[in-house]
Amino acid sequence: MGAWAIAVHGGAGVDPNLPKERQEEAKRLLTRCLDIGISALRSNLPAIDVVELVVRELETDPLFNSGRGSALTENGTVEMEVSIMDGPKRRCGAVSGLTTVKNPVSLARLVMEKSPHSYLAFSGAEEFAKKQGVEMVDNEFFITEDNVGMLKLAKEANSILFDYRIPAVGTCGASAAMDSPLQMNGLPISVYAPETVGCVVVDKQGRCAAATSTGGLMNKMSGRIGDSPLIGSGTYASELCGVSCTGEGEAIIRSTLAREVSAVMEYKRLNLHEAVDYVIKNRLDEGKAGLIAVSKDGEVACGFNTTGMFRGCATEDGFMEVGVW
């Protein structure tokens, strides 16, 4: 019997001028999610059950960019995506382009357990959801007043907004997005702060699991798919570790960031902390991202090259920490 550990995140890349009230609100949500996960682990739930439970809670609360509160497409609609992975046998499930599924992470798990496939998207995923009897709601359920306002700013700036709630630093609006030095695939973007959510868990049996859920980018093209539903990029779990990533999706995809943590542990014989530090420093090129990870031995780690990352972690020995910067 080993020791359990859990970590959660609410996105990498935080506005340095983020109001204290918003920071504390995020910390309270992360703490609540940790408490839910800790209680489940103490009740001996397997890791895969715990990551689903915690991410469902994050999807239900509109604070972060997943489920209700997801970022809006250029058409003003929500298209959600998520993946989940169970380390022991590398089982996985993923979905993209969801518009009516209340808790996308649970549908991803059903893809893993109730379908012959690993990944379903758009109309096919929605049809599968209906057949599985999951709870479905109108797309308007996911749309918040804050996000409608941020989409308006994004359209006025003719920009994709990563920081989809906070206007660019030092400005009175989003027009500064056009002058941003940051780029995605060679194109200018605004201040970077996506707020995807994720959870990684190792249980007492040393089983690792991971899940990552998001609404994507504000003002994204309809049909855009990021790293979160891509196994090996946004999410990965093996017999060694579980990893959930957040940040510049295109950079995470190019680097297969989540899988890289497991790979360097296996092939370079690095421990978890060394592996996380190595991939953040050496695999992102000029991309900006962060990740959380657990190992089969009960270790927990996080890493990021952004101004901050909403995160929290806890271990069986009583350690618990929630942070932003």
Side-chain angles (χ1 to χ4, degrees):
M1 297 285 285
W4 57 256
I6 180 173
V8 296
H9 73 73
V14 183
D15 187 332
N17 296 332
L18 187 69
K20 282 286 187 182
E21 180 183 348
R22 163 92 169 140
Q23 294 180 42
E24 294 306 313
E25 190 178 6
K27 288 180 180 180
R28 286 193 296 270
L29 174 55
L30 293 171
T31 300
R32 186 171 82 236
C33 289
L34 281 177
D35 288 339
I36 290 170
I38 290 168
S39 177
L41 286 163
R42 287 174 175 166
S43 299
N44 294 318
L45 263 65
I48 191 68
D49 287 354
V50 180
V51 295
E52 180 186 5
L53 185 67
V54 170
V55 172
R56 280 180 64 94
E57 183 70 15
L58 288 163
E59 289 174 342
T60 300
D61 193 295
L63 183 63
F64 291 131
N65 176 14
S66 67
R68 187 165 183 268
S70 285
L72 305 181
T73 70
E74 60 186 357
N75 298 324
T77 59
V78 165
E79 293 179 1
M80 300 166 289
E81 52 193 23
V82 58
S83 60
I84 189 169
M85 191 165 186
D86 194 15
K89 294 184 178 180
R90 292 188 175 89
R91 298 184 308 148
C92 59
V95 287
S96 288
L98 297 183
T99 59
T100 63
V101 176
K102 187 174 182 181
N103 286 110
V105 68
S106 293
L107 185 63
R109 184 167 183 185
L110 287 169
V111 170
M112 178 178 76
E113 296 183 340
K114 302 294 184 180
S115 86
H117 307 302
S118 294
Y119 196 159
L120 295 175
F122 295 91
S123 61
E126 295 276 337
E127 185 61 30
F128 178 72
K130 293 175 184 176
K131 291 179 179 178
Q132 293 298 314
V134 303
E135 186 174 2
M136 305 181 79
V137 294
D138 292 336
N139 195 252
E140 289 75 15
F141 170 83
F142 303 104
I143 299 173
T144 65
E145 185 177 342
D146 283 350
N147 286 346
V148 171
M150 289 308 299
L151 178 62
K152 182 175 182 293
L153 290 176
K155 286 185 175 297
E156 290 173 354
N158 192 28
S159 173
I160 294 170
L161 286 187
F162 276 77
D163 183 2
Y164 71 116
R165 281 191 176 87
I166 313 292
V169 176
T171 73
C172 298
S175 60
M178 292 181 288
D179 301 320
S180 171
L182 297 176
Q183 295 189 338
M184 173 190 286
N185 289 343
L187 300 176
I189 59 173
S190 72
V191 175
Y192 169 83
E195 300 189 3
T196 290
V197 306
C199 179
V200 293
V201 169
V202 58
D203 59 28
K204 287 183 178 181
Q205 283 69 43
R207 298 172 297 201
C208 298
T212 311
S213 181
T214 190
L217 307 178
M218 182 63 72
N219 200 28
K220 67 182 180 181
M221 294 174 64
S222 181
R224 181 261 185 183
I225 294 173
D227 67 286
S228 296
L230 300 184
I231 297 300
S233 292
T235 304
Y236 193 74
S238 65
E239 72 280 4
L240 293 175
C241 63
V243 184
S244 174
C245 300
T246 171
E248 185 186 332
E250 279 65 15
I252 294 170
I253 292 169
R254 291 194 302 270
S255 62
T256 58
L257 196 65
R259 164 63 180 157
E260 278 293 289
V261 175
S262 182
V264 297
M265 290 180 71
E266 181 176 358
Y267 301 127
K268 293 177 74 69
R269 304 296 182 185
L270 301 183
N271 65 36
L272 183 71
H273 293 274
E274 291 169 340
V276 168
D277 185 62
Y278 180 87
V279 300
I280 291 294
K281 289 181 178 178
N282 296 286
R283 290 294 184 264
L284 282 168
D285 301 320
E286 295 179 357
K288 299 293 184 181
L291 63 84
I292 54 173
V294 293
S295 76
K296 65 180 179 61
D297 299 319
E299 302 167 297
V300 62
C302 71
F304 52 94
N305 64 359
T306 58
T307 53
M309 181 170 73
F310 295 110
R311 66 198 185 278
C313 60
T315 57
E316 190 171 8
D317 62 9
F319 172 80
M320 183 172 176
E321 182 180 68
V322 175
V324 177
W325 310 110

